[in-house]
Amino acid sequence: MSRIAYFGPRGTFTEQAARSFGDAEFVAVDTVPLVLAAVRAGEVDAGCVPVENSVEGAVTATMDSLAEDEPLYAVGEAILPVRFSILTRPGVKAEDVKTVASHPHALAQVRYWVAENLPNAVPVATTSTASAAVRVNEGEFDAAVSAPVAVMHYPLHELATDVADVDTAVTRFLLLRRPGHLPQPTGRDRTSLAVIIAHDEPGSLANTLSELALRGINLTRIESRPLRGQFGEYRFYLDLDGHIAEQRVGDALAALHRNSRQVRFLGSYPKADESTSDAPARATDADYQAAAEWLAKVREGL
Ligand SMILES: O=C(O)C(=O)C[C@]1(C(=O)O)C=C[C@@H](O)C=C1
């Protein structure tokens, strides 16, 4: 049976996401970098980590490691709705709560609710939502902002359920493997890249994006992170519809490789939402094939 590490401990949203990929032996690991390190070291077959939340944005620990450390490829994604339970030790009332602990992304998603309902509470960051529950159980903090499943693992009381400042909030998770396991195209695929564009000159980002637009490729996400040392230099994270095995996507990636300082492929994998990744008219593999055949003939002088 394959072994999947997930950002734990037991009872995180990430555990739920990991279990959605099917039967496996699941291994809880305390932080995102340690999950990715376990995959790189071959201690597990795959690792599941959060990558972005619709309210708070990117999970930078995931993005930085995927772009900078030894390569890993995404082979699957999961998208979960995010609504929280507020867990306390039995007998603790809202007015007694002086500290409310959780992962920073979770605290950001209940900021207004906490201000209104736990007016005496100071927010405290923990490594994950479930580690907050562990520490509330140990008496360190008064309340944890947790995934609803956490109450099944820790003997805590639900002070409130279904808590979220934004009703429709979702988090996206990736299943990552060492290179060598490219999933087959399904017609509903996403490709992820990290790109450092070549020069800080007018139009260089527009030129990069034009390589995608010209080939009818739909960009689903663009996010930048500074290259740490100074302002003015950024790495762009691009998610686009389509699979690297498709002609238009391969062609665009080759063009980016020619024109950019660095292109790192982060995976082509089936999308978790219902949308397709069909090529538009005149950009299908058959269109590319026909054009290549025409060119070959012309080059032979025919
Ligand atoms: O702490 C957890 O339960 C996680 O799985 C992490 C995480 C995140 O990184 O965004 C996942 C979903 C929620 O948005 C809050 C926290």
Side-chain angles (χ1 to χ4, degrees):
M1 191 184 270
S2 75
R3 279 161 61 80
I4 300 182
Y6 67 88
F7 173 34
R10 289 222 65 184
T12 56
F13 285 100
T14 313
E15 179 185 5
Q16 275 176 275
R19 289 182 186 277
S20 75
F21 291 109
D23 226 12
E25 185 189 333
F26 295 97
V27 183
V29 177
D30 278 345
T31 67
V32 165
L34 288 175
V35 170
L36 302 179
V39 183
R40 290 188 176 104
E43 290 160 19
V44 291
D45 300 297
C48 185
V49 291
V51 64
E52 63 170 331
N53 170 259
S54 62
V55 175
E56 194 57 6
V59 179
T60 51
T62 299
M63 302 191 33
D64 289 347
S65 180
L66 291 183
E68 291 170 14
D69 301 335
E70 214 181 301
L72 292 176
Y73 292 164
V75 295
E77 71 170 14
I79 297 175
L80 291 186
V82 177
R83 302 177 75 82
F84 299 93
S85 294
I86 310 298
L87 303 183
T88 58
R89 290 179 300 285
V92 172
K93 298 190 186 57
E95 56 270 29
D96 305 331
V97 174
K98 301 277 187 292
T99 48
V100 58
S102 200
H103 186 279
H105 267 58
L107 291 172
Q109 292 177 75
V110 298
R111 201 174 284 140
Y112 292 99
W113 189 93
V114 167
E116 204 167 305
N117 296 281
L118 302 175
N120 303 322
V122 174
V124 187
T126 53
T127 51
S128 71
T129 56
S131 82
V134 169
R135 292 169 73 175
V136 167
N137 190 38
E138 289 169 352
E140 200 177 338
F141 305 121
D142 298 327
V145 180
S146 295
V149 292
V151 76
M152 285 158 38
H153 302 293
Y154 308 102
L156 294 172
H157 163 75
E158 288 170 317
L159 188 66
T161 56
D162 225 16
V163 171
D165 289 347
V166 179
D167 282 350
T168 55
V170 284
T171 297
R172 193 163 74 93
F173 301 83
L174 294 177
L175 186 69
L176 295 149
R177 298 194 66 167
R178 292 180 296 284
H181 305 277
L182 187 65
Q184 292 295 313
T186 65
R188 296 169 172 273
D189 303 297
R190 197 186 311 283
T191 292
S192 297
L193 305 171
V195 179
I196 304 176
I197 55 181
H199 306 288
D200 182 14
E201 61 188 25
S204 52
L205 176 60
N207 290 341
T208 299
L209 299 181
S210 297
E211 300 289 0
L212 305 176
L214 286 169
R215 293 170 179 85
I217 294 172
N218 184 36
L219 192 65
T220 57
R221 178 188 186 202
I222 178 166
E223 184 115 22
S224 66
R225 295 267 297 143
L227 289 185
R228 295 177 184 241
Q230 65 207 59
F231 288 128
E233 290 196 312
Y234 296 87
R235 177 181 279 112
F236 291 90
Y237 293 84
L238 308 180
D239 281 353
L240 43 103
D241 276 346
H243 192 288
I244 193 171
E246 292 174 85
Q247 293 280 349
R248 71 186 191 292
V249 178
D251 211 47
L253 265 56
L256 294 189
H257 183 78
R258 265 193 295 111
N259 293 325
S260 311
R261 171 134 61 101
Q262 189 193 86
V263 178
R264 184 180 274 206
F265 174 67
L266 301 178
S268 286
Y269 49 90
K271 292 199 275 189
D273 58 34
E274 294 301 298
S275 60
T276 64
S277 59
D278 293 338
R282 296 178 296 284
T284 66
D285 280 3
D287 295 318
Y288 272 85
Q289 184 64 29
E293 283 166 14
W294 170 82
L295 183 65
K297 269 193 194 161
V298 174
R299 282 177 170 163
E300 282 169 30
L302 297 173

